[in-house]
């Protein structure tokens, strides 16, 4: 029990992982102080650009968003994210050669966003690419973060590959069913299945093979070196 308490209080999530929820509240004219109160933090703390937040705080903010905006709040939050929001992690993905390469590198360097969670990338025999959210064993991450990650990924693919038709072919969530899936279908491009045994998104080989319009090998390599060093320093 003590291990679980310590784990959930450990700083896990980079500050820019919280901002989609803050922006969602702002766009709906919700007092940001209410969201901060729900998470038991001061509004001034949100302005710390390189802070990492405990999983307990992150879960409370996500639950506030779901209580306030509905069970599809993560999809609404994903739609608020603008290009460049996820900084170095986003730079790594957008400068990769293809969507599939971007998925692989994004999963590898996901600790830049969340420390303790893993997203596993795999290339299937069909040529499709899949990403699977692997939850930590000693604490719970709110399901809205899983959904936000998948939603931001899919919207980013459409933007960075300049392909509006790009969609996931299959999405599954472990959470209970949402009351309305229309916004999920708009963001992800397919109707997700709920109450499944894993959180997983699959892109077919045509989407995975799409080229990234900002592909840049030199920038990508420099970003990769920097990201590797940042993660290594966090571990020491």
């Amino acid at each position: 029990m003590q291990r679980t308490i310590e784990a959930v209080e450990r700083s896990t999530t980079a500050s820019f992982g919280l901002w989609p929820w803050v922006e969602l509240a702002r766009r709906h004219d919700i007092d940001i102080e209410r969201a901060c109160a729900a998470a038991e933090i001061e509004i001034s703390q949100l302005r710390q650009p390189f802070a990492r937040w405990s999983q307990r705080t992150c879960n409370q903010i996500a639950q506030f968003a779901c209580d306030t905006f509905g069970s599809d709040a993560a999809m609404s939050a994903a739609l608020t994210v603008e290009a460049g929001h996820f900084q170095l992690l986003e730079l790594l993905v957008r400068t990769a050669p293809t969507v599939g390469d971007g998925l692989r590198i994004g999963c590898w360097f996901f600790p830049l966003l969340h420390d303790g969670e893993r997203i596993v990338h795999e290339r299937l025999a069909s040529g499709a690419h899949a990403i699977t959210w692997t939850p930590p064993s000693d604490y719970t991450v709110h399901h809205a973060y899983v959904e936000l990650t998948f939603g931001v990924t899919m919207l980013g693919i459409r933007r960075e590959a300049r392909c509006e038709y790009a969609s996931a072919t299959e999405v599954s969530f472990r959470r209970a069913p949402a009351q309305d899936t229309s916004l999920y279908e708009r963001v992800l491009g397919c109707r997700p299945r709920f109450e499944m045994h894993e959180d997983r998104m699959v892109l077919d080989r045509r989407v995975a093979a799409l080229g990234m319009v900002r592909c840049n090998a030199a920038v990508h390599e420099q970003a990769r070196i920097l990201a590797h060093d940042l993660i290594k320093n966090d571990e020491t």
Side-chain angles (χ1 to χ4, degrees):
M1 179 65 176
Q2 183 62 32
R3 182 185 176 197
T4 300
I5 294 174
E6 292 175 353
V8 80
E9 292 295 343
R10 190 178 76 238
S11 297
T12 59
T13 305
S15 58
F16 52 79
L18 293 184
W19 272 102
W21 307 116
V22 175
E23 179 62 16
L24 180 62
R26 188 192 68 80
R27 292 190 184 189
H28 283 81
D29 296 322
I30 300 295
D31 187 350
I32 302 301
E33 291 187 1
R34 280 180 54 199
C36 291
E40 302 175 12
I41 60 175
E42 298 293 331
I43 192 168
S44 60
Q45 293 177 276
L46 287 176
R47 300 189 177 96
Q48 300 174 16
F50 301 108
R52 278 193 179 257
W53 298 92
S54 73
Q55 196 58 56
R56 180 177 68 86
T57 296
C58 295
N59 288 348
Q60 288 172 323
I61 289 179
Q63 188 58 53
F64 170 83
C66 291
D67 291 342
T68 305
F69 305 111
S71 62
D72 58 2
M75 297 297 105
S76 297
L79 288 166
T80 72
V81 174
E82 298 179 350
H85 176 88
F86 289 100
Q87 303 176 6
L88 182 57
L89 180 60
E90 185 174 333
L91 181 63
L92 282 160
V93 172
R94 67 163 54 160
T95 55
T98 67
V99 167
D101 293 318
L103 284 176
R104 176 182 54 80
I105 202 77
C107 290
W108 183 263
F109 286 105
F110 192 65
L112 291 169
L113 175 60
H114 192 282
D115 177 27
E117 200 77 21
R118 283 196 317 128
I119 299 184
V120 177
H121 168 266
E122 58 184 318
R123 184 171 181 173
L124 308 180
S126 64
H129 287 236
I131 57 174
T132 305
W133 183 287
T134 304
S137 60
D138 51 358
Y139 61 91
T140 299
V141 174
H142 197 285
H143 66 78
Y145 280 100
V146 183
E147 298 171 35
L148 178 62
T149 300
F150 286 5
V152 167
T153 297
M154 199 63 250
L155 292 169
I157 288 170
R158 292 182 191 136
R159 181 184 68 244
E160 298 303 326
R162 291 186 183 166
C163 182
E164 287 300 316
Y165 74 79
S167 299
T169 56
E170 177 186 329
V171 177
S172 61
F173 293 123
R174 291 181 297 134
R175 60 159 288 189
Q179 297 175 344
D180 183 357
T181 64
S182 58
L183 192 54
Y184 287 89
E185 293 173 45
R186 172 186 166 191
V187 172
L188 301 172
C190 69
R191 177 174 294 183
R193 295 180 296 168
F194 296 94
E195 296 183 321
M196 306 302 290
H197 69 284
E198 61 185 357
D199 297 303
R200 180 178 173 89
M201 183 166 70
V202 179
L203 305 179
D204 69 27
R205 62 183 180 182
R206 294 172 302 170
V207 173
L210 290 171
M212 296 294 214
V213 296
R214 294 188 239 208
C215 171
N216 187 312
V219 172
H220 183 81
E221 180 60 16
Q222 289 302 309
R224 188 193 64 79
I225 293 171
L226 176 58
H228 182 272
D229 289 344
L230 286 173
I231 291 174
K232 185 177 180 180
N233 289 337
D234 283 344
E235 292 174 346
T236 57

